[in-house]
Every structure is written in structure tokens, then in C-alpha cells.
């Protein structure tokens, strides 16, 4: 097992830094996801860890030793590529044997290791097939097997599930995480799919424009986003703005354009200050109209099976996004009472 | 029936190509085969009756055998030098990141845009005893007399390599363009040095292009006429030159036909052997 320590890593391709003074430590056996929109520098970061790209400045260290001068082939890394990058002229067995041959492992041991790993990815019968004779999901598993059969110090995965259909993608999430736990390997997983990052990772690193916006456990990122940008990128969110009327302890009474609310946390805001509060759609429930509380009118409804998605226009025109279980449903145009779970309000920084 | 209809549509579609092949390839070839078994004629392309004399003449005179070997040797040298020079060029064109790539591409294609006679003539200007290269070398005092660059196999090989280079570069380039760049990264992450990744992954995947390019260049080199005729002059002759001599200068049409056929058969055999030896053992669906 290996600890990866990245400090002040910077890289630019001509105009402006693509990775900007990025610092991050990934612990022994930890599963860390780099999550961010397209072009935010995730792949570039991964390629620098792998040794395919030289950093302009900054240090990458494995278990305390700087690897900046170590070429890719000497870093002992297993990498899974978005398009799998299986060698088309080699069978599954030959693909898996490649890395072991490079390590001068005796043929007999190569065979047993390949058999063991192929068993793990449930492809034991496919050894003699060429990649072109496999389905997308099978190719994906061969790529994973090829990366772990060499028992690398670190496993790097670059959007490995992006080319699979939704159902398979969910299966593979569980599958990859399960194997990672069993092998106990330090893993960096790149994705722009927040559901993937949240469901698989020990820790999620949210990146924008080459910088880390927030690092934390999946629940931290989702329930306690640091900024509007993080809140908006990781799942859906209502950002409601108001003015603090009274503060007490951590919380306070906040006046909104369409009502008031008792927020348990308002950050550093003092009475009179403006605050922005994040409210997840599933923390909003709709009830039949009552005299007290927030009132609104359903603008649209989208049925999603397990959840129903509503847009509700409040008195001042603000549109609130609500997700509720489909047990009671409201027609578009209906007047409704809007109830927000105050415990789920979270103050956002800029 | 539907399939019957489709079949007649297919026939219609290939008919023009088939007709062209028949008129311009099959009929002349059959004609040449027949002619090669004719005795020479007086005041006519060939005489009456059939004979094996033309082939006997070929196989009994080691002069012609040597010429075949010499032609094949030139073909081999030209193919090899086109491959050695062309592969890095193709690589650069396919993978290079330079903004000048379109320029390089047009430089590679340039020889194809100028007529072959002019190109070969250009080489005589460069390679001749009184040519640019020799005058420069002597002017600098590097050599006392002119280097023998023309009227020999070396000159033919140099000129043919230049003339035929695009036929090597283009297929290899398109093969390399078809190779996913992340395959090299994958090989390296698995512990292969750049050299090993090249040998084990990139080279095998570029092989179809190398094979196509080599066959094209080899076939074009052994059948080339203009370049060997201009550069080799009267001293060094390839088979193609001798065939034309026989047909045009000495009017030995039947013997010329026999020579041409031997050259075709030998060339085709080389290509088949080469294709077999470098056959791909895997398939891409
Ligand atoms: N070799 C390169 N030359 C020039 N610019 C590059 C190169 N590689 C990446 N970039 C630029 O760097 C930025 C970050 O690229 P990177 O591939 O790291 O993004 P990413 O976060 O992986 O995005 P995606 O989710 O789309 O894969 C992009 O703007 C990209 O255009
Ligand atoms: Mg990427």
C-alpha cells in the first residue's frame, strides 16, 4: 500500500494553468475521486501521477519519495483508461500477461495470477478472446484486470464507466469498489459523474478550473458544500438568499423574499447580513395549502418513478425545486404549502 | 426473387470496372502470354506457329538471370530505404504536434505532383558527373574526381527511393493514425519502456500499413521504367528497361513478352512470399 502526496502541483499548456497549485494527500488504501466538470484538469492530474505528463512545478511523492524523475514505466501504477486501451492484437490472456512479462515474472506464476484475477472479474472463460470479441462491459473488466494483475502500488482510473450504459454503470460501480476493497489498493478515480463519486469514494475532491474547491467525505460534499459552485455541481440544489434578522448561537432567523425560516446554521453572518442557504430539493416537501408557512403554486411536474420533480413558484416569483415521493401528487397549477426541512439548510460561502 | 434482383444489380454495378479490367488488363495479358510463345516475325510483330525458343533464350543466358536478380535487388534496397526513411516521416505526420504538419504533408506529397520524367531528370541534374552534388563536393575539395552516382545501381536506388517514398509514407501514416495513442500510455503504465512499447504494441499495429507500403514500393520499383532508363543510361539496365529495349529498339516482340512475363511472375512470387511471411495472425472486427 502506498500513500500519495501531491503538493503545489501546477501544469499549463501554454495559456493559463490547467492544474493550479493542487495539493492533496491520498492515504494508504484510500479511494479518492476527482470530481469536476469537463476540462477542469482531472485527466491532466491523473496523467501527472502516472508519469505521462511532467509537472511545471510541485511535487508528487509516493510513500514520501519524490517520483518527479521516475519515468511512467517505473512508477508501478495500474491505469484504467476511459476507452480501455486494450491491445487489439493480443488476446485477453496476452493483455493481462503484458505487465507481468515486463516484470520478468515466471510463466507459471503469470498463468496462475491471470487465472486468479480473471476469476475476480468473472471473465475466467474469455482468456483466448480478442478485445474486439468482447462486449463493452467485458472490455472494461479486462482493462481493470490488466491494471490490477500487476499488483501495482496505485490504481488510477480515468472515467472508466463513461462508455457503459446506465444499468451496467451502476453494477460496475459496486464491482470496482468491491475489488478495490479486497485488494486494498490506493486508488484515484476520475469522474464527472457526481453519483459515481459519491457512491464509490472514501473521499471526494471537487475541482474547478484546476483548483480544489472542496475535499471531504461524500456526505460532507453533498450536505455541507463549501461554495455555490460545489453545491450546484454535486447534485441539484436551491440556493435561497435572505437577510439575517436575529442570530442565536450558530443559527438565526432569516427573512426570505417569500417568508421566513429558522436556520440552525448561518455561518458567520450577523443580523442585517445577507446569507445564501443551500436547500436540496429532496429536503422540500409539498403539503395541501394551509394558512401558515410558505405558500406557492406548482409550475411543472415531472414523474421520475421513485421521485416526482416539482417546480413551485413562490409568492415573489422565486422558483423552488422540490423532489417528493410519489405518494401524494399535486397537479400543475395547484396551490400548495411548501415545507423546508430546516435541518438540511446549509450556509454557502462564495 | 429479391436475391436474384439484388444479384443482377450487383452485376450491373461491377460491370464497368469489369469491362475496364477485361479490355485493358486481361486481354493485353493474354495477348502477351500468347505472343511469348511465338517465333519472331519478319515485318510483323511475330511469325507463325508456336515455340518455346523465347523462354529457352532467357533461361540459357545468365545475362538475363543476373538482370532479374539485379532488378529484385534494386527493388529490395529501394523498399528498405523507403521504409527506413518513410517510417519516421509517417510517424511524425500521424502523431506530430507541430503546426507545420500540413506543410510536411504537402512536402511528402510533392513528388507525386510533378511528372515522373521531370523528377527523374531532376535527379540526373543532381547526380551526374558534372552535376550539382559532384561539383559542390569537388568545389569544397572533399573529393578529387566525381563520385560515380549515376549510371549505376546506387543512382537508380537513390532516385527511386525519392520517387516512391510517398507510396510508403501514406499507408503507414494512415495505419498509425488508426492506433489509439492511449495504447502506448497503457503499455508504459504496465512497465514497458518507450522502446518496448514501440516494438510490442505500436509496430505490430502499424504492420498492415508497413505491409501495404512495402508491397506498393517493391512492385513499383521492379517495374519502374523511366527512372532506371534515365539514371542507369546504357550501362545499368533493369528488367523493365530491357523489356522495352526488346520491344521498341530491336522489335523482338515475342522475346520481350517472355521477359515481361518472367518479371511479372518473379515479382508476384516475391509479393506473395512477403505477404505470407508478414501475415497478420489476429483480426479486428
Ligand atoms: N496535451 C494538451 N495540450 C494542450 N492542452 C491540453 C492538453 N491536455 C489537456 N489540455 C487542456 O487542459 C484542460 C484540462 O484537460 P483535462 O483533460 O485534464 O480535463 P478533464 O478534467 O479530464 O476533462 P474531461 O472531463 O472532459 O475529461 C483542457 O482545457 C484541455 O483542453
Ligand atoms: Mg478527462
Amino acid at each position: 500500500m502506498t500513500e500519495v502526496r501531491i503538493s503545489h502541483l501546477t501544469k499549463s499548456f501554454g495559456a493559463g494553468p490547467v492544474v493550479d497549485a493542487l495539493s492533496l494527500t491520498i492515504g494508504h488504501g484510500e479511494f479518492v475521486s476527482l470530481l469536476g466538470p469537463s476540462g477542469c484538469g482531472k485527466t491532466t492530474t491523473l496523467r501527472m501521477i502516472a508519469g505521462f505528463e511532467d509537472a511545471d512545478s510541485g511535487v508528487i511523492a509516493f510513500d514520501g519519495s519524490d517520483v518527479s524523475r521516475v519515468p511512467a514505466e517505473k512508477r508501478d501504477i495500474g491505469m484504467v483508461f476511459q476507452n480501455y486501451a486494450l491491445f487489439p492484437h493480443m488476446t485477453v490472456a496476452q493483455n493481462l500477461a503484458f505487465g507481468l512479462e515486463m516484470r520478468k515474472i515466471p510463466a507459471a506464476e503469470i498463468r496462475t495470477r491471470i487465472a486468479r484475477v480473471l476469476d475476480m472479474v468473472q471473465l475466467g472463460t474469455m482468456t483466448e478472446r480478442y478485445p474486439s470479441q468482447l462486449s463493452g462491459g467485458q472490455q472494461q473488466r479486462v482493462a481493470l484486470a490488466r491494471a490490477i494483475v500487476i499488483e501495482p502500488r496505485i490504481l488510477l482510473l480515468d472515467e472508466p464507466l463513461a462508455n457503459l450504459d446506465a444499468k451496467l454503470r451502476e453494477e460496475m460501480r459496486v464491482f470496482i469498489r468491491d475489488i478495490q476493497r479486497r485488494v486494498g489498493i490506493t486508488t484515484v478515480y476520475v469522474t464527472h459523474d457526481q453519483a459515481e463519486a459519491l457512491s464509490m469514494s472514501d473521499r471526494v475532491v471537487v475541482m474547478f478550473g484546476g483548483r480544489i474547491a472542496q475535499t471531504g467525505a461524500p456526505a460532507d460534499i453533498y450536505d455541507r458544500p463549501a461554495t455555490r459552485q460545489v453545491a450546484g455541481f454535486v447534485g441539484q440544489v436551491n440556493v435561497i438568499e435572505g437577510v439575517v434578522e436575529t442570530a442565536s448561537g450558530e443559527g438565526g432567523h432569516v427573512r426570505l423574499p417569500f417568508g421566513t425560516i429558522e436556520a440552525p446554521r448561518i455561518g458567520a453572518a450577523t443580523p442585517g447580513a445577507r446569507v445564501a442557504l443551500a436547500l436540496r430539493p429532496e429536503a422540500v416537501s409539498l403539503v395541501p395549502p394551509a394558512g401558515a408557512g410558505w405558500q406557492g403554486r406548482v409550475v411543472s411536474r415531472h414523474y421520475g418513478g421513485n421521485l416526482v420533480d416539482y417546480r413551485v413558484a413562490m409568492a415573489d416569483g422565486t422558483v423552488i425545486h422540490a423532489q417528493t415521493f410519489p405518494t401524494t401528487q399535486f397537479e400543475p397549477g395547484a396551490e400548495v404549502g411548501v415545507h423546508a426541512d430546516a435541518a438540511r439548510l446549509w450556509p454557502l460561502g462564495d | 426473387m429479391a436475391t436474384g434482383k439484388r444479384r443482377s444489380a450487383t452485376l450491373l454495378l461491377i460491370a464497368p470496372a469489369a469491362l475496364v479490367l477485361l479490355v485493358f488488363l486481361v486481354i493485353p495479358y493474354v495477348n502477351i502470354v500468347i505472343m511469348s510463345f511465338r517465333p519472331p516475325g519478319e515485318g510483323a510483330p511475330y511469325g507463325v506457329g508456336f515455340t518455346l525458343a523465347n523462354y529457352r533464350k532467357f533461361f540459357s543466358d545468365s545475362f538475363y538471370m543476373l538482370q532479374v536478380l539485379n532488378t529484385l535487388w534494386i527493388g529490395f534496397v529501394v523498399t528498405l530505404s523507403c521504409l527506413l526513411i518513410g517510417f519516421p516521416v509517417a510517424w511524425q505526420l500521424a502523431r506530430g504536434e507541430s503546426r507545420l504538419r500540413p506543410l510536411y504533408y504537402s512536402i511528402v506529397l510533392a513528388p507525386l505532383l510533378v511528372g515522373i520524367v521531370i523528377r527523374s531528370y531532376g535527379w540526373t541534374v543532381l547526380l551526374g558527373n558534372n552535376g550539382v552534388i559532384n561539383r559542390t563536393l569537388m568545389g569544397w575539395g572533399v573529393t578529387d574526381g566525381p563520385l560515380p552516382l549515376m549510371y549505376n545501381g546506387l543512382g537508380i536506388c537513390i532516385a527511386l527511393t525519392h520517387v516512391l517514398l510517398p507510396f510508403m509514407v501514406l499507408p503507414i501514416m494512415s495505419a498509425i493514425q488508426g492506433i489509439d495513442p492511449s495504447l502506448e500510455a497503457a503499455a508504459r503504465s504496465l512497465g514497458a519502456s518507450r522502446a518496448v512499447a514501440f516494438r510490442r504494441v505500436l509496430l505490430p499495429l502499424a504492420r498492415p500499413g508497413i505491409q501495404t507500403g512495402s508491397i506498393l514500393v517493391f512492385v513499383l520499383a521492379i517495374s519502374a521504367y523511366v527512372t532506371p532508363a534515365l539514371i542507369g543510361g546504357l550501362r545499368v539496365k533493369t528488367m523493365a528497361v530491357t523489356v522495352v529495349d526488346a520491344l521498341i529498339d530491336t522489335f523482338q516482340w515475342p522475346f520481350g513478352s517472355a521477359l515481361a512475363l518472367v518479371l511479372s511472375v518473379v515479382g508476384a512470387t516475391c509479393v506473395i512470399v512477403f505477404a505470407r511471411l508478414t501475415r497478420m495472425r489476429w483480426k479486428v472486427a
Side-chain angles (χ1 to χ4, degrees):
Chain A
M1 277 203 273
T2 301
E3 180 199 70
V4 181
R5 186 182 291 272
I6 299 170
S7 36
H8 292 94
L9 195 65
T10 300
K11 172 79 183 175
S12 60
F13 297 102
V18 164
V19 176
D20 193 359
L22 185 131
S23 296
L24 175 68
T25 300
I26 302 149
H28 298 283
E30 194 180 17
F31 191 117
V32 167
S33 291
L34 300 184
L35 174 66
S38 189
C40 73
K42 306 180 296 286
T43 298
T44 307
T45 306
L46 208 65
R47 288 175 60 84
M48 285 192 282
I49 299 175
F52 299 134
E53 210 86 68
D54 290 325
D56 296 342
S57 63
V59 177
I60 298 174
F62 296 172
D63 280 338
S65 69
D66 183 358
V67 294
S68 308
R69 299 259 159 272
V70 181
E73 63 268 25
K74 296 265 163 60
R75 291 198 185 183
D76 201 10
I77 272 175
M79 182 138 177
V80 179
F81 296 80
Q82 178 171 344
N83 57 2
Y84 317 138
L86 296 175
F87 305 129
H89 57 307
M90 298 184 194
T91 61
V92 169
Q94 288 167 338
N95 265 279
L96 264 63
F98 189 89
L100 298 172
E101 286 165 10
M102 295 299 129
R103 284 165 173 71
K104 308 258 185 309
I105 307 241
E109 193 189 333
I110 289 183
R111 272 195 300 277
T112 54
R113 271 167 79 166
I114 290 178
R116 195 171 62 224
V117 172
L118 278 182
D119 229 33
M120 209 187 282
V121 299
Q122 297 158 22
L123 285 175
T125 57
M126 307 272 177
T127 48
E128 296 313 313
R129 297 236 194 142
Y130 284 95
S132 59
Q133 300 167 321
L134 299 174
S135 74
Q138 290 167 339
Q139 291 181 27
Q140 218 291 312
R141 281 182 280 159
V142 175
L144 181 66
R146 187 179 66 176
I148 57 178
V149 75
I150 58 173
E151 294 171 11
R153 304 175 73 177
I154 300 160
L155 181 62
L156 304 177
L157 303 103
D158 191 358
E159 309 206 21
L161 307 183
N163 291 336
L164 302 181
D165 64 64
K167 183 102 178 70
L168 202 53
R169 202 154 53 212
E170 300 213 350
E171 283 173 22
M172 286 302 296
R173 279 186 206 164
V174 180
F175 189 81
I176 290 180
R177 185 65 226 251
D178 183 49
I179 286 185
Q180 188 270 342
R181 278 215 184 88
R182 267 198 274 167
V183 183
I185 186 173
T186 307
T187 302
V188 184
Y189 188 99
V190 161
T191 179
H192 58 243
D193 180 337
Q194 46 105 6
E196 222 165 270
L198 294 178
S199 66
M200 295 174 79
S201 321
D202 294 320
R203 213 147 47 96
V204 178
V205 175
V206 185
M207 287 177 68
F208 293 108
R211 292 163 180 269
I212 294 181
Q214 188 175 1
T215 305
D220 278 336
I221 301 284
Y222 190 75
D223 292 331
R224 294 175 283 283
T227 65
R228 282 169 196 247
Q229 218 178 3
V230 174
F233 188 74
V234 183
Q236 293 169 308
V237 73
N238 294 294
V239 177
I240 50 182
E241 298 192 27
V243 176
V244 177
E245 287 195 321
T246 58
S248 57
E250 293 204 332
H253 196 69
V254 180
R255 183 159 42 80
L256 306 167
F258 48 84
T260 58
I261 195 159
E262 198 62 46
R265 281 168 301 267
I266 55 168
T270 49
R274 297 193 67 81
V275 283
L277 299 170
L279 180 63
R280 295 290 180 189
E282 69 275 12
V284 180
S285 48
L286 303 184
V287 292
W294 301 352
Q295 304 293 321
R297 191 169 44 77
V298 175
V299 178
S300 67
R301 178 182 64 179
H302 293 281
Y303 180 70
N306 55 341
L307 289 173
V308 188
D309 240 47
Y310 292 99
R311 308 282 153 166
V312 181
M314 309 304 284
D316 71 320
T318 307
V319 174
I320 296 278
H321 180 190
Q323 267 176 357
T324 67
F325 295 115
T327 36
T328 42
Q329 294 196 34
F330 299 91
E331 295 298 319
E335 296 292 331
V336 287
V338 180
H339 177 78
D341 179 359
R344 300 278 311 270
L345 285 170
W346 181 256
L348 294 172
D350 298 316
Chain B
M1 254 182 62
T3 50
K5 226 181 247 167
R6 197 173 317 144
R7 190 168 310 148
S8 55
T10 313
L11 281 179
L12 260 179
L13 283 173
I14 63 168
L19 198 68
V20 168
L21 275 182
L22 185 71
V23 172
F24 293 104
L25 194 74
V26 177
I27 294 179
Y29 242 96
V30 170
N31 200 16
I32 288 175
V33 172
I34 295 172
M35 189 141 55
S36 72
F37 291 102
R38 297 284 194 182
E42 298 278 336
Y46 51 83
V48 285
F50 290 92
T51 172
L52 284 173
N54 299 315
Y55 290 98
R56 215 174 290 131
K57 179 173 170 188
F58 175 88
F59 287 107
S60 60
D61 193 339
S62 64
F63 170 78
Y64 295 110
M65 284 307 275
L66 277 176
Q67 208 166 61
V68 168
L69 288 179
N70 196 31
T71 304
L72 293 180
W73 174 242
I74 287 175
F76 173 76
V77 170
V78 170
T79 306
L80 193 67
S81 53
C82 278
L83 182 59
L84 293 179
I85 297 171
F87 194 93
V89 176
W91 187 268
Q92 185 60 30
L93 285 175
R95 283 286 158 81
E97 285 173 358
S98 166
R99 232 173 285 148
L100 294 177
R101 243 171 44 177
L103 180 69
Y104 298 157
Y105 190 69
S106 45
I107 291 175
V108 169
L109 284 185
L112 295 179
L113 301 176
V114 185
I116 187 156
V117 177
I118 298 178
R119 262 180 291 158
S120 303
Y121 185 72
W123 277 107
T124 67
V125 173
L126 284 173
L127 298 175
N129 283 349
N130 213 357
V132 176
I133 294 177
N134 273 320
R135 253 184 302 158
T136 311
L137 288 178
M138 288 187 291
W140 287 348
V142 181
T143 53
D144 293 335
L147 293 178
L149 296 176
M150 234 177 96
Y151 309 118
N152 58 17
L154 177 65
I156 295 178
C157 286
I158 292 175
L160 274 180
T161 299
H162 167 248
V163 167
L164 299 178
L165 196 56
F167 297 97
M168 184 65 87
V169 171
L170 295 180
I172 297 181
M173 183 189 78
S174 72
I176 293 174
Q177 276 170 338
I179 303 175
D180 176 359
S182 60
L183 293 182
E184 193 197 351
R188 297 202 46 218
S189 77
L190 291 168
S193 63
R194 275 177 201 277
V196 173
F198 179 81
R199 192 167 48 76
R200 294 269 322 255
V201 176
L202 301 174
L203 204 54
L205 291 174
R207 189 158 65 184
I210 295 172
Q211 198 180 36
T212 309
S214 300
I215 290 175
L216 270 176
V217 168
F218 181 76
V219 168
L220 291 171
I222 61 173
S223 62
Y225 170 71
V226 174
T227 310
L230 279 177
I231 309 262
L234 293 172
R235 249 185 270 166
V236 182
K237 289 187 179 177
T238 61
M239 276 298 274
V241 176
T242 305
V243 169
V244 175
D245 280 356
L247 295 182
I248 293 177
D249 293 354
T250 54
F251 273 110
Q252 299 168 290
W253 285 43
F255 181 56
S257 301
L259 286 180
L261 276 180
V262 171
L263 181 61
S264 300
V265 170
V266 171
T269 311
C270 289
V271 168
I272 290 168
V273 169
F274 175 76
R276 289 240 127 185
L277 289 179
T278 59
R279 186 178 41 182
M280 290 186 293
R281 280 171 211 83
W282 51 281
K283 51 181 183 293
V284 181

